[in-house]
Amino acid sequence: NSEVLTSGEWTSEVDGTNLIPISISDNFAEDAVVEVGDRLSFNVQGVIMNTEVGSIRTVDWSQMQPNFSIVFPKGVLESAPQFRVMTTKVENEEASAALQQQLVRSFPNISIIDLRQVLTVVEGILNKIAWLINFMAFFSILT
């Protein structure tokens, strides 16, 4: 699991109170300087949602799975505009391409992001930066 509750109490479903109990990640809490019991208001498509921080979670962002900074309980955002996220793991690039083609044929309105390709591009950029740093170091020593 990529999330661990560190303080407060997790609320999975709203109980009809005026303040909506939410769970936030520890880095969000640190950046926003909030703690359990603090109140936050969110504007969701013009509807003001008054919330109270019910719990704080430590999130392992390095794991390749959906993680969220703010989690609302069930029964609050179901009628708001939404999008869905799904992750899959396939054996190789050929299987990935076949799966993507099948998904796009069946569901033409979805967007697919191949993380394997994204990571390959990022790795290429980092390799170029490393080469540039080595070149500048060698040039500095030479001069």
Side-chain angles (χ1 to χ4, degrees):
N1 194 356
S2 66
E3 300 181 3
V4 176
L5 193 66
T6 55
S7 64
E9 189 175 311
W10 169 255
T11 304
S12 62
E13 246 180 283
V14 73
D15 61 358
T17 61
N18 291 338
L19 291 175
I20 301 163
I22 60 171
S23 181
I24 60 175
S25 65
D26 57 354
N27 57 342
F28 179 86
E30 187 177 309
D31 292 344
V33 191
V34 294
E35 55 190 33
V36 172
D38 287 350
R39 296 178 178 186
L40 301 170
S41 294
F42 293 90
N43 183 335
V44 180
Q45 298 285 312
V47 177
I48 302 300
M49 303 257 176
N50 295 312
T51 68
E52 182 175 27
V53 177
S55 63
I56 297 177
R57 300 167 286 112
T58 297
V59 179
D60 182 1
W61 297 101
S62 66
Q63 290 193 23
M64 285 294 197
Q65 65 184 43
N67 293 308
F68 301 95
S69 295
I70 303 168
V71 178
F72 279 73
K74 202 185 295 185
V76 177
L77 297 176
E78 283 76 8
S79 62
Q82 302 177 24
F83 67 93
R84 306 270 188 227
V85 175
M86 181 180 84
T87 59
T88 61
K89 183 176 180 180
V90 292
E91 297 173 12
N92 53 40
E93 291 181 24
E94 292 79 22
S96 175
L99 176 62
Q100 289 178 43
Q101 289 173 359
Q102 184 180 3
L103 286 171
V104 169
R105 267 194 300 273
S106 300
F107 307 100
N109 62 338
I110 66 169
S111 299
I112 296 175
I113 300 171
D114 189 338
L115 291 181
R116 187 183 322 236
Q117 290 177 344
V118 171
L119 293 175
T120 301
V121 169
V122 170
E123 183 181 21
I125 291 170
L126 292 176
N127 286 338
K128 289 176 184 174
I129 291 171
W131 182 87
L132 182 62
I133 290 171
N134 286 335
F135 174 79
M136 294 303 287
F138 176 72
F139 184 74
S140 296
I141 291 170
L142 187 65
T143 59

